[in-house]
Amino acid sequence: MVSIEKLVRERILILDGAMGTMIQRYNLTEEDFREERFADIPGQMKGNNDLLCLTRPDVIQDIHRKYLMAGADIIETNTFSSTSVSMADYHVQEYVREMNLAAVKLAREVADEFSTPDKPRFVAGSIGPTNKTCSMSPDVNNPAMRALTYDELADAYREQMEALLEGGVDALLIETIFDTLNAKAAIFAAEKAMEATGVQVPVMLSVTVSDTGGRTLSGQTLEAFLASVQHANIFSVGLNCSFGARQLKPFLEQLAARAPYYISAYPNAGLPNSLGKYDQTPADMAHEVKEYIQEGLINIIGGCCGTTDAYIAEYPVLIAGAAPHVPAPKPESLWLSGLELLEVTPEKNFINVGERCNVAGSRKFLRLVNEKKYDEALSIARQQVEDGAQVVDVNMDDGLLDAQAEMTTFLNLIASEPEIARVPVMIDSSKWDVIVAGLKCLQGKSIVNSISLKEGEEKFLEHARTIRQYGAATVVMAFDEKGQADTYERKIEVCARAYQLLVEKVGFNPHDIIFDPNVLAVATGMDEHNNYAVDFIRATGWIRKNLPGAHVSGGVSNLSFSFRGNNYIREAMHAVFLYHAIREGMDMGIVNPATAVLYTDIPADILERIEDVVLNRRPDAAERLIETAEQLKAAAEQQKGNATDKQVAPLSWRNGTSVEERLKHALTKGIGDYLEEDLAEALKLYPKAVDIIEGPLMSGMNYVGELFGAGKMFLPQVVKTARTMKKAVAILQPIIEAEKQEGSTSAGKVLLATVKGDVHDIGKNIVSVVMACNGYEIIDLGVMVPAETIVQRALEEKVDMIGLSGLITPSLEEMVHVAMELEKVGADIPLLIGGATTSQLHTALKIAPVYHAPVVHLKDASQNATVAARLMNPKAKEELKEKLSSEYQRLREKSVTQAPKTVSLEEAQKNKLNLFGGVK
């Protein structure tokens, strides 16, 4: 018989419909569910549909037969709730194994009866989410509490799956996933069950979204979910329940665009009415599902709540001759997740790991954990995220703490705080049991910090396999049996060996490997330490060139240990070190997100002396830097005697400078203390308040963008800049409103939105102010706005143009999606494209070709009003459209001529890089 893996590549497969809806049609009584065997068990048994496999097998087999007659290629076992966890509610948990074996037997018999060489039929073992959740507390007063542990749930799933596999299912379908941690436990159990039974089958996943924002009940976005399950050998991923086919479509599009798996969908029969019934007819549902098929979104189609064999019978005609969905390529970058996806791409420049939730590094955090003041401890984590930390490091290693219990408690508490939980967690411990405990708490894809070869290969491989099974990335320290790697040669030797073991023996995704080649202290007075920073930087470059996919991280504060007590010198050393290390490929590090010193801020004489130390440029570098540090310390103490730091600090940048220079400095440094004063002065120099935004403030923002692009500024500092800009705009807002002429007519109606998947809004908000000041009526939809909402509101409001904003790389694809949806409904509304990752080239290559109306890329907010005025003038609009068409065509042609030359696969294989033939 043809396998399901082969058949899914050839055509769209049909899954059956709802089991519960069909059972209701048989009007079964309490006695039907009990029969004599379960007559004495207390409580109500009606509603325990899975038990019917033992008490009314004729009904279940009749339902299977109806779905197969309707054309289903795959039928599900009646085992959605057949775990000991769910069956405990009915006091029949001891019958779970028997129920699963019976369910497979019933489905298998009928499937084999209908199966032919031309149309084989398959049985998928249905595995529901259970009625418990590992990510959320059942007690609102105790957010750290869990109704069951990860291990308890995994054991229950394993018991069910072993019976399903022994019974002869063709696939395991983990469905209606509302909590990703539950799903991860199920995936873990599936691997163990297949290992125990010696039976390997495809694993299918199906998620249910709980709201129109497209998140699961436990709060994850679909992209974050994909990151969380990326470690598993997944056959298909899809969506079921929650919505009807039309409402489910935008989320299905999102999944199909990103998931490197086959795609399934089995929506409800529309939305339920006030009585909980489903009114949508089979024909109506088929009409909506037809779009899935025509647009190449799916490989497997079925039905959920409210659907019956009549709904499934509509599908064979729809799928006849239709091409199945082609899975997206596997991501060529590191994916991490909390509630949201963190995609580590070159555009991110540097991933900042917040360091303050570490009992070994923060006395305050240790005290709060010791005193069980968890709310205050959480505020430290929250502040780090607000300051720009993209990952939060958590370490509970202290001799007087129960590290395992504290790690579990704190991670469970983080899960209840969406502002913190949206970012990934780094589980940091030298105790293996603490790391494993942490892995069992997180629904997202986390980072383990760390493993190494210091205990030998066997232990290293054991730990790596465990990390992979729990679905995490890992930091690999440059340690081996000989000890810490402290020279360039030792660093690359250890890292190359670890990489080879992880990739070749464990099957670890190279993108999930993060090397820490050991940031060690320099300027210690010992000559053998002088080259430590240089060795790290050189090793970083070697790793990124020779170990494909791997990342480089490090604990930056170790570098400046010799200068404890002199924070300025320490932060300046860190800025210099990061500037050079990032240029070589370091893309992650544990640093203080609130650091204030920028590479460009360091005076030339001090920069020279710091670089002499960091780059080991002269033998007396350490002595010269110590001399400078002492001078700075003495000067600081002298200033303390004259005035407070806050009074003295402004003098260096506020005296003798223009208001434009002061505003630029305030934005670059994220200083909001003097905005009222400086903006009041600027208002005397500029005709209108909006001119200040378009002039010096915009100039400052552009300068920050240049520094970020050059690696001289990092995301936490950019976040501070954005806050300062928001504060400046808020100060000017009342004046801008007062300057508007009463009774003036609108210059046009503009809809603004940050596209779905993106939460950044500073650029959009500035555009809103600038456009409003130029007489435009603004409809601001906010952030994370789905394409269908943008299209719907644009048509309802009859807007004159749409402004799309986005900061992160995935936003580029979402903008293309919006343009395609506008084209699909026949809209003729100009699109304005803006945001940090957008470009004229991307607009020309990807967005403009899919939409006939003008698509204009704008570098900054100051350009919007000018372009909008041209779009509102019919003649100028046509001229602009022709100019854009010509410019975009030129860019496309140039892009084609610059395309890299390729060789044949055979030739490329002959030229393959020999990584391990000997490290040089």
Side-chain angles (χ1 to χ4, degrees):
M1 187 175 78
V2 179
S3 68
I4 193 171
E5 294 96 331
K6 184 176 186 298
L7 199 60
V8 76
R9 294 193 292 268
E10 298 172 1
R11 65 177 178 84
I12 295 171
L13 302 182
I14 299 174
L15 184 68
D16 61 9
M19 176 62 72
T21 304
M22 291 289 279
I23 287 172
Q24 289 173 17
R25 295 187 161 200
Y26 288 79
N27 297 315
L28 301 177
T29 64
E30 179 73 14
E31 288 68 33
D32 288 308
F33 283 85
R34 286 182 177 276
E35 294 290 321
E36 289 184 20
R37 185 174 180 186
F38 302 105
D40 298 330
I41 292 177
Q44 180 177 304
M45 202 61 69
K46 187 177 180 181
N48 185 1
N49 290 342
D50 295 16
L51 195 62
L52 294 172
C53 292
L54 299 179
T55 59
R56 289 297 306 270
D58 57 316
V59 170
I60 302 306
Q61 213 159 42
D62 191 43
I63 293 169
H64 287 322
R65 187 171 283 107
K66 286 177 178 175
Y67 278 128
L68 290 165
M69 290 174 67
D73 297 294
I74 308 166
I75 55 172
E76 292 186 52
T77 56
N78 181 35
T79 54
F80 184 83
S81 299
S82 295
T83 59
S84 56
V85 171
S86 296
M87 285 299 133
D89 288 352
Y90 293 98
H91 311 290
V92 290
Q93 60 268 37
E94 64 188 273
Y95 302 99
V96 161
R97 177 175 168 80
E98 185 184 352
M99 288 164 62
N100 281 282
L101 286 169
V104 181
K105 184 173 181 290
L106 295 173
R108 183 82 271 164
E109 285 177 357
V110 188
D112 291 347
E113 175 189 324
F114 276 78
S115 193
T116 66
D118 293 335
K119 190 173 175 64
R121 309 299 179 104
F122 304 98
V123 175
S126 171
I127 299 139
T130 80
N131 52 358
K132 302 283 195 300
T133 165
C134 285
S135 289
M136 294 175 280
S137 172
D139 183 355
V140 70
N141 298 311
N142 183 5
M145 180 187 173
R146 295 293 182 266
L148 82 170
T149 66
Y150 179 100
D151 288 335
E152 289 167 344
L153 182 58
D155 288 345
Y157 275 137
R158 180 173 173 176
E159 179 186 22
Q160 177 185 24
M161 292 178 187
E162 285 186 7
L164 291 172
L165 291 167
E166 289 173 21
V169 294
D170 300 300
L172 294 174
L173 173 52
I174 302 166
E175 60 181 335
T176 320
I177 296 166
F178 65 81
D179 177 357
T180 309
L181 190 53
N182 282 31
K184 286 169 76 174
I187 291 167
F188 181 88
E191 289 184 7
K192 295 293 185 184
M194 285 190 271
E195 190 180 309
T197 59
V199 179
Q200 296 291 322
V201 299
V203 174
M204 305 165 69
L205 306 180
S206 188
V207 188
T208 183
V209 290
S210 65
D211 57 36
T212 54
R215 291 178 182 258
T216 62
L217 185 64
S218 58
Q220 270 202 320
T221 65
L222 290 175
E223 288 181 333
F225 170 81
L226 288 175
S228 297
V229 300
Q230 190 185 24
H231 62 288
N233 184 18
I234 296 167
F235 173 70
S236 68
V237 66
L239 298 172
N240 75 291
C241 209
S242 300
F243 299 116
R246 182 172 59 82
Q247 296 84 6
L248 210 60
K249 188 188 173 192
F251 310 124
L252 191 64
E253 290 173 329
Q254 184 184 351
L255 202 61
R258 298 286 269 170
Y261 318 110
Y262 298 112
I263 300 296
S264 67
Y266 43 117
N268 293 343
L271 296 173
N273 59 28
S274 58
L275 299 176
K277 304 292 184 182
Y278 292 87
D279 299 325
Q280 190 175 51
T281 67
D284 289 340
M285 183 172 173
H287 179 72
E288 293 178 359
V289 165
K290 188 176 182 181
E291 291 186 18
Y292 296 2
I293 296 163
Q294 290 175 334
E295 295 175 26
L297 295 177
I298 55 167
N299 303 95
I300 302 166
I301 183 68
C304 202
C305 303
T307 62
T308 64
D309 55 323
Y311 291 79
I312 303 305
E314 295 281 340
Y315 291 163
V317 174
L318 291 181
I319 68 166
H325 169 75
V326 177
K330 288 186 177 181
E332 290 298 321
S333 58
L334 168 60
W335 280 14
L336 302 168
S337 65
L339 296 181
E340 296 166 9
L341 174 69
L342 173 62
E343 191 171 2
V344 182
T345 60
E347 293 88 348
K348 292 277 192 314
N349 195 12
F350 182 76
I351 301 300
N352 184 294
V353 182
E355 63 178 354
R356 307 313 299 163
C357 292
N358 184 328
V359 295
S362 170
R363 290 180 183 176
K364 181 180 179 182
F365 186 71
L366 173 60
R367 175 178 60 79
L368 293 173
V369 172
N370 252 323
E371 296 173 1
K372 309 299 181 189
K373 293 180 178 177
Y374 293 118
D375 285 346
E376 292 180 56
L378 286 169
S379 70
I380 293 176
R382 188 180 300 107
Q383 187 61 52
Q384 288 186 104
V385 176
E386 289 174 1
D387 284 338
Q390 293 140 288
V391 178
V392 172
D393 180 89
V394 179
N395 184 304
M396 294 292 180
D397 287 359
D398 182 84
L400 299 179
L401 289 177
D402 182 341
Q404 186 173 335
E406 293 295 353
M407 180 66 79
T408 300
T409 298
F410 194 69
L411 294 183
N412 283 349
L413 288 169
I414 282 179
S416 68
E417 299 283 339
E419 301 91 343
I420 308 169
R422 69 181 180 83
V423 304
V425 169
M426 178 177 278
I427 305 167
D428 187 352
S429 181
S430 58
K431 302 172 182 177
W432 185 245
D433 60 339
V434 175
I435 286 174
V436 173
L439 288 169
K440 293 174 182 178
C441 295
L442 297 170
Q443 65 170 325
K445 182 177 177 182
S446 58
I447 305 171
V448 166
N449 187 11
S450 59
I451 60 172
S452 76
L453 282 158
K454 64 183 176 183
E455 295 181 72
E457 284 190 8
E458 187 177 343
K459 185 65 70 174
F460 177 76
L461 292 171
E462 178 192 326
H463 287 172
R465 289 188 180 105
T466 301
I467 291 168
R468 185 176 178 275
Q469 277 190 318
Y470 285 109
T474 189
V475 173
V476 181
M477 297 297 296
F479 272 84
D480 66 5
E481 299 89 339
K482 300 175 190 174
Q484 188 176 51
D486 55 358
T487 65
Y488 165 73
E489 290 76 16
R490 283 274 294 135
K491 290 177 193 291
I492 66 172
E493 173 198 342
V494 174
C495 292
R497 178 184 167 205
Y499 182 90
Q500 184 176 19
L501 289 169
L502 289 170
V503 174
E504 295 183 5
K505 291 200 173 182
V506 181
F508 223 85
N509 182 347
H511 297 288
D512 290 347
I513 302 170
I514 305 161
F515 284 109
D516 184 340
N518 305 324
V519 179
L520 303 172
V522 294
T524 63
M526 301 175 70
D527 290 346
E528 59 266 35
H529 297 174
N530 290 347
N531 217 47
Y532 277 169
V534 174
D535 287 337
F536 182 99
I537 293 166
R538 285 184 65 205
T540 295
W542 187 91
I543 289 167
R544 295 307 299 269
K545 289 183 180 73
N546 294 283
L547 306 181
H551 299 267
V552 176
S553 179
V556 180
S557 61
N558 295 342
L559 179 86
S560 61
F561 192 71
S562 301
F563 292 89
R564 293 188 315 280
N566 193 323
N567 283 342
Y568 175 79
I569 286 292
R570 293 196 73 176
E571 289 194 10
M573 288 179 72
H574 301 163
V576 168
F577 174 77
L578 284 171
Y579 175 66
H580 291 286
I582 288 169
R583 291 174 75 180
E584 285 298 309
M586 182 181 182
D587 54 0
M588 192 177 295
I590 301 176
V591 296
N592 180 2
T595 186
V597 179
L598 302 181
Y599 181 86
T600 50
D601 288 341
I602 305 168
D605 56 334
I606 299 175
L607 177 62
E608 180 186 351
R609 293 197 170 196
I610 291 175
E611 289 198 321
D612 284 344
V613 167
V614 171
L615 302 179
N616 193 18
R617 295 195 299 208
R618 50 189 293 169
D620 60 345
E623 290 81 0
R624 281 160 50 86
L625 184 56
I626 290 168
E627 177 187 305
T628 300
E630 291 299 329
Q631 290 171 354
L632 289 171
K633 190 174 181 182
E637 287 176 359
Q638 186 178 351
Q639 285 180 347
K640 277 184 185 177
N642 299 328
T644 66
D645 286 341
K646 191 167 183 179
Q647 289 170 324
V648 174
L651 297 179
S652 62
W653 64 280
R654 294 193 63 75
N655 288 346
T657 53
S658 69
V659 69
E660 288 86 359
E661 289 171 325
R662 295 198 299 275
L663 287 170
K664 180 179 179 181
H665 184 90
L667 282 174
T668 306
K669 302 291 289 179
I671 300 170
D673 298 350
Y674 307 96
L675 284 176
E676 296 267 7
E677 178 184 332
D678 288 338
L679 290 172
E681 183 179 336
L683 283 166
K684 297 173 184 175
L685 302 175
Y686 289 81
K688 292 183 178 181
V690 70
D691 296 333
I692 301 171
I693 293 175
E694 293 182 321
L697 291 177
M698 210 64 234
S699 174
M701 290 293 286
N702 290 337
Y703 178 63
V704 167
E706 290 169 13
L707 291 179
F708 180 69
K712 297 176 181 178
M713 197 171 186
F714 310 115
L715 188 62
Q717 294 151 336
V718 176
V719 170
K720 287 171 71 178
T721 291
R723 286 200 193 121
T724 308
M725 184 67 171
K726 280 187 176 182
K727 185 175 181 180
V729 172
I731 292 168
L732 293 171
Q733 190 73 48
I735 301 157
I736 290 168
E737 293 297 326
E739 287 175 348
K740 288 183 184 177
Q741 295 180 2
E742 289 187 20
S744 60
T745 58
S746 170
K749 192 182 284 190
V750 183
L751 182 145
L752 298 176
T754 299
V755 295
K756 185 174 180 178
D758 202 322
V759 298
H760 302 92
D761 64 355
I762 180 62
K764 174 182 65 63
N765 294 346
I766 294 168
V767 169
S768 177
V769 171
V770 170
M771 296 289 277
C773 291
N774 283 275
Y776 291 90
E777 181 185 344
I778 304 298
I779 299 167
D780 190 340
L781 299 185
V783 301
M784 295 279 288
V785 188
E788 65 273 13
T789 303
I790 294 170
V791 174
Q792 183 182 342
R793 288 294 301 277
L795 297 176
E796 289 173 355
E797 299 284 351
K798 296 182 172 60
V799 300
D800 296 298
M801 62 199 79
I802 299 169
L804 300 181
S805 177
L807 181 72
I808 59 178
T809 305
S811 298
L812 298 176
E813 288 306 310
E814 185 60 23
M815 289 176 179
V816 175
H817 180 212
V818 173
M820 292 173 71
E821 291 300 303
L822 286 167
E823 184 70 21
K824 196 182 295 181
V825 299
D828 191 35
I829 307 167
L831 266 183
L832 307 178
I833 303 295
T837 56
T838 64
S839 67
Q840 191 177 31
L841 181 61
H842 179 268
T843 303
L845 294 178
K846 299 292 186 179
I847 306 177
V850 301
Y851 187 43
H852 75 278
V855 182
V856 191
H857 175 257
L858 299 162
K859 286 176 66 177
D860 62 56
S862 62
Q863 296 180 320
N864 280 267
T866 306
V867 170
R870 295 182 69 181
L871 290 170
M872 293 302 294
N873 180 304
K875 184 180 178 183
K877 178 181 176 181
E878 282 306 309
E879 290 174 354
L880 177 62
K881 189 173 180 180
E882 288 178 16
K883 181 183 176 184
L884 288 170
S885 178
S886 174
E887 177 63 14
Y888 290 165
Q889 184 59 33
R890 184 186 67 79
L891 288 170
R892 291 182 200 115
E893 290 171 358
K894 185 178 178 182
S895 175
V896 170
T897 59
Q898 291 179 345
K901 293 181 180 178
T902 59
V903 297
S904 68
L905 176 62
E906 292 76 15
E907 190 175 342
Q909 288 172 335
K910 289 177 188 174
N911 296 329
K912 70 179 180 180
L913 184 64
N914 183 8
L915 292 181
F916 307 109
V919 175
K920 295 183 179 178

